[in-house]
Amino acid sequence: MVHYIRFLKTPRVEYRSSKSISVMALITITNDLGDNFLLSDAKLTSCLLTADRAGKVLFKQEVRWHRGSRQLSIGLTAHISQSTPLLRLHVFHDKASGLFPSILSALSAPFKPVHQTRAAALVERELSLPDLSSLKIWEETGDSIAKHIWDASLGCVLCFQDIGSAESRMPLLKEVLQGKASGQINVLELGAGCGIVGIALAHYFPNCMVHLTDLVEAQDILLKNLDEATPAANSSLLFQILDWNVDSGGTSLERDVDLVIISDCIYNSDTCSDLVRTLCRVSLISPQCRILVAAKRRHDSEDVFFDLMRHSQMRILEKDTIVLPHETSDLGVQPPEVELYLYGLAESG
């Protein structure tokens, strides 16, 4: 399964003199839900670096995560000058490579090199893209599920990369995103969380207007990520608060839409009826729209969503399964799979 390095305690300056600094942090390595720890040994590197664009490494050391661990303390002492700017702590797996590795790195928020100063409760993830650019996404370090990256969103990023290839496994989705002769492609994401899926789509594809929606609790982290995003030519990103359970007149639901995206939103069967009702409302206004559903199956109750979709005259037009990067040492563990479904109204063909 995919694992994430997480800060249980973000970096804190424990000691500061005129020539040196000591920084401490506490990390863990878990899956997206935080309920499974990395079961194998792993060699990590921790770097104290400047927070400017140069990102100069001031001190680097190797640390080891041992099988059976639940947390790991990190301590670094570096020589710095009085004029040293803001600092950041970067912790990464030494085998990290590809679009994203099986263990995602953690880069702290900038913090002042001042005694007892602690970095904000944020972590930045960076995915290296095939065009040599990068996708940077902030998460919060707390327990809110709306503010974290989930595995299904990584599957969407891989799917968008595949669409750019000559032999895409989802040709109908490729047609939606690349087949429009002129004009803008209107995309609506429901339950956007920290925004990685919509931001990745706008990064990969030009001429896309992406409306990301979620509850108010996701607003701060989502807006932070939108502010730092780098969309492709003529693509744009907008955020709007949307609760599936209340009247949403005057929102993104009232606009013409070419594609709706929902990623890892079907885990709670209690909200599935509101979600499907919202999708039906969009389809009534935009009968030709397509709906991309990305899900990492965790329990049987997620079948509720698919049953509701079937009874709502939605049909699956195409589907695919993407296997995420994972540690080969995860013996007996099912390789992490993200299921992708492209829906349309039954009568829209």
Side-chain angles (χ1 to χ4, degrees):
M1 64 181 68
V2 179
H3 289 87
Y4 302 76
I5 299 173
R6 304 187 186 280
F7 287 115
L8 294 175
K9 293 182 179 179
T10 56
R12 183 177 187 269
V13 178
E14 297 294 328
Y15 172 77
R16 174 73 162 97
S17 71
S18 60
K19 296 182 178 180
S20 66
I21 189 170
S22 177
V23 176
M24 299 290 294
L26 185 66
I27 68 165
T28 188
I29 307 178
T30 70
N31 64 342
D32 58 346
L33 286 177
D35 58 356
N36 282 302
F37 298 91
L38 179 64
L39 297 177
S40 59
D41 295 342
K43 186 170 74 170
L44 309 175
T45 297
S46 58
C47 291
L48 189 66
L49 62 158
T50 59
D52 55 13
R53 183 169 296 182
K56 179 183 178 181
V57 176
L58 302 175
F59 185 79
K60 179 169 68 174
Q61 72 177 17
E62 178 185 304
V63 293
R64 288 191 174 271
W65 174 273
H66 296 288
R67 179 184 178 90
S69 298
R70 299 174 68 90
Q71 59 186 38
L72 175 64
S73 295
I74 293 177
L76 304 95
T77 300
H79 295 288
I80 63 172
S81 67
Q82 289 282 19
S83 60
T84 299
L86 296 174
L87 302 174
R88 301 184 79 177
L89 178 63
H90 189 199
V91 185
F92 58 92
H93 186 216
D94 283 9
K95 293 183 180 179
S97 62
L99 176 60
F100 52 84
S102 58
I103 301 177
L104 269 68
S105 66
L107 182 60
S108 79
F111 57 95
K112 294 180 180 179
V114 176
H115 181 55
Q116 294 188 344
T117 298
R118 184 182 294 280
L122 296 169
V123 59
E124 187 179 39
R125 312 284 185 191
E126 183 172 2
L127 308 182
S128 300
L129 303 181
D131 62 1
L132 302 182
S133 64
S134 63
L135 185 66
K136 297 180 180 181
I137 298 293
W138 288 95
E139 298 181 65
E140 292 194 4
T141 59
D143 296 328
S144 173
I145 60 176
K147 303 171 186 178
H148 289 173
I149 292 175
W150 285 47
D151 284 358
S153 62
L154 300 181
C156 285
V157 176
L158 287 174
C159 173
F160 299 154
Q161 178 187 343
D162 173 70
I163 288 174
S165 65
E167 298 181 359
S168 172
R169 298 195 301 268
M170 298 191 76
L172 295 180
L173 178 59
K174 182 173 184 174
E175 182 181 338
V176 174
L177 292 172
Q178 294 187 336
K180 207 168 184 179
S182 62
Q184 203 161 42
I185 302 165
N186 295 306
V187 181
L188 171 65
E189 183 179 3
L190 303 177
C194 61
I196 180 173
V197 176
I199 290 171
L201 187 143
H203 181 98
Y204 271 115
F205 302 102
N207 304 312
C208 288
M209 177 179 285
V210 185
H211 281 83
L212 300 93
T213 66
D214 208 321
L215 298 174
V216 66
E217 67 184 73
Q219 181 173 1
D220 290 345
I221 194 68
L222 223 166
L223 289 177
K224 180 176 179 63
N225 283 323
L226 294 190
D227 185 57
E228 299 185 18
T230 55
N234 299 317
S235 286
S236 60
L237 293 154
L238 300 170
F239 170 68
Q240 191 165 26
I241 296 171
L242 178 64
D243 186 342
W244 309 331
N245 193 36
V246 300
D247 178 40
S248 303
T251 69
S252 303
L253 300 184
E254 305 297 334
R255 301 181 178 92
D256 186 56
V257 174
D258 298 299
L259 177 67
V260 181
I261 301 176
I262 56 173
S263 175
D264 245 333
C265 290
I266 66 173
Y267 58 89
N268 185 353
S269 58
D270 292 338
T271 63
C272 282
S273 59
D274 293 326
L275 173 56
V276 173
R277 190 181 308 114
T278 300
L279 294 173
C280 289
R281 180 175 175 181
V282 173
S283 296
L284 286 175
I285 297 172
S286 307
Q288 301 302 318
C289 81
R290 301 303 186 218
I291 300 167
L292 177 63
V293 178
K296 179 184 173 184
R297 298 288 195 112
R298 294 182 173 88
H299 41 73
D300 293 341
S301 64
E302 293 174 52
D303 289 338
V304 170
F305 170 82
F306 295 98
D307 291 339
L308 289 169
M309 289 292 280
R310 187 170 57 252
H311 293 142
S312 299
Q313 304 304 310
M314 298 284 187
R315 68 182 181 97
I316 297 172
L317 305 177
E318 63 183 5
K319 59 183 179 180
D320 190 19
T321 299
I322 291 181
V323 178
L324 298 177
H326 57 284
E327 288 293 288
T328 56
S329 57
D330 289 341
L331 298 177
V333 177
Q334 177 86 13
E337 295 182 344
V338 174
E339 299 173 9
L340 298 167
Y341 301 87
L342 190 69
Y343 278 91
L345 281 175
E347 62 269 25
S348 67

